[in-house]
């Protein structure tokens, strides 16, 4: 069901790779709610995914950009404003990558060149995106910027590796930049701490299937799906949440507030 929550609103969606990705589901939902947007991803990710299919489905244009490159981001923002016909109302940052995880390096045996690259892609890129938008004065008042994160920023999940550090940094950037964006531009900045979700990136984490099953048993409402996250993101892009900013919003079926569930107790007392 659609409510025209984003009718007339314009934005940029980072990170749509394939139909499993949260950014992909969000783009579809934004389109259904009347929003228009530019899609973007790194050139290498675009070659791996099916972003052209999404662009065709939503009537959107694609502007390739490396989110770690200030030059690419400046070009992206300028082109998005030109293509969409005005300043932006929403931006989704759905980007994350750990070279250490991809290469099977343990947290106690990081290769720091890998760590730096993953931090730049997964966390510092959020600051770069917002700084570019801020300096270009590219956001409308009461616009909304959202980044996706995970509870490993607050609690230890051993196999999440250095991505936990990246997410902690990302959340701090949201609070710090959110203050200035709010004071100076009346723009909201929030992060969504999502349930473990079987995206292409998520499935690359060791032991992911076991953990997603554990989280399902721990969450009173069950895990939030990629589609659920898309719905929640749309609510944050809409005018219904105009005074919500600098928040890390848990969207995890109650996992983050549950000490232990009856299902988990029963699992250990069989």
């Amino acid at each position: 069901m659609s409510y025209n929550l984003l009718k007339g609103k314009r934005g940029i969606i980072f990170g749509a790779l394939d139909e499993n990705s949260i950014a992909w589901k969000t783009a579809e939902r934004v389109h259904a709610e009347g929003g228009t947007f530019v899609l973007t991803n790194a050139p290498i990710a675009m070659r791996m995914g099916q972003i052209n299919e999404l662009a065709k489905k939503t009537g959107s244009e694609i502007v390739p950009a490396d989110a770690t490159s200030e030059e690419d981001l400046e070009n992206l923002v300028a082109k998005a404003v030109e293509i969409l016909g005005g300043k932006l109302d929403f931006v989704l940052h759905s980007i994350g990558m750990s070279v250490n995880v991809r290469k099977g390096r343990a947290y106690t045996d990081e290769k720091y060149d890998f760590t730096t690259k993953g931090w730049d892609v997964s966390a510092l890129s959020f600051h770069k995106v917002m700084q570019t938008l801020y300096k270009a004065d590219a956001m409308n008042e009461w616009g909304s910027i959202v980044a996706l994160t995970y509870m490993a920023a607050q609690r230890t999940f051993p196999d999440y590796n250095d991505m936990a550090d990246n997410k902690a940094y990302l959340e701090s950037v949201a609070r710090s930049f959110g203050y200035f964006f709010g004071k100076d531009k009346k723009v909201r900045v929030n992060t969504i701490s999502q349930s473990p979700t079987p995206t292409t990136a998520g499935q690359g984490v060791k032991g992911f299937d076991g953990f997603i099953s554990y989280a399902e048993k721990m969450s009173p409402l069950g895990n939030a799906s990629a589609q659920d996250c898309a719905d929640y993101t749309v609510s944050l892009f809409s005018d219904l949440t105009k005074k919500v900013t600098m928040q890390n919003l848990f969207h995890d079926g109650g996992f983050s507030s549950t000490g232990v569930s009856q299902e988990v107790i029963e699992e250990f007392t069989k």
Side-chain angles (χ1 to χ4, degrees), residues 13-32 37 39-41 45-46 48-58 60 62 92-95 148 197 199-200 226-231 233-234:
I13 294 178
F14 286 80
L17 182 67
D18 56 37
E19 61 183 6
N20 294 318
S21 66
I22 292 171
W24 184 293
K25 300 291 188 188
T26 301
E28 291 178 329
R29 193 74 173 91
V30 168
H31 176 65
F37 48 85
L39 293 165
T40 187
N41 214 328
M46 290 177 62
M48 293 167 55
Q50 297 98 41
I51 195 171
N52 289 322
E53 179 186 325
L54 179 62
K56 184 177 179 181
K57 183 176 183 180
T58 59
S60 306
I62 303 168
L92 175 65
H93 179 284
S94 181
I95 306 169
L148 299 181
T197 309
T199 61
T200 301
Q227 186 61 61
D228 293 330
C229 191
D231 293 341
T233 303
V234 162

Side-chain angles (χ1 to χ4, degrees), residues 22 25-26 29 92 146-152 154 171 190-198 211-212 215-216 219-236 247-257:
I22 292 171
K25 300 291 188 188
T26 301
R29 193 74 173 91
L92 175 65
V146 172
L148 299 181
T149 185
Y150 181 54
M151 198 174 63
Q154 288 83 33
E171 292 174 17
N190 295 289
T191 53
I192 295 175
S193 190
Q194 168 71 0
S195 294
T197 309
F211 181 66
I212 200 168
E216 179 73 23
S219 308
L221 297 180
N223 289 330
S225 68
Q227 186 61 61
D228 293 330
C229 191
D231 293 341
Y232 192 38
T233 303
V234 162
S235 75
L236 290 174
Q247 302 300 308
N248 180 47
L249 301 161
F250 290 101
H251 185 250
D252 59 8
F255 180 95
S256 52
S257 292

Side-chain angles (χ1 to χ4, degrees), residues 134 172-189 245-246:
Y134 183 91
S172 180
V173 167
R175 289 187 295 271
S176 298
F177 220 122
Y179 173 83
F180 294 102
F181 241 137
K183 289 287 288 183
D184 300 338
K185 312 282 188 180
K186 293 291 185 290
V187 171
R188 298 163 279 160
V189 180
T245 195
M246 299 164 63

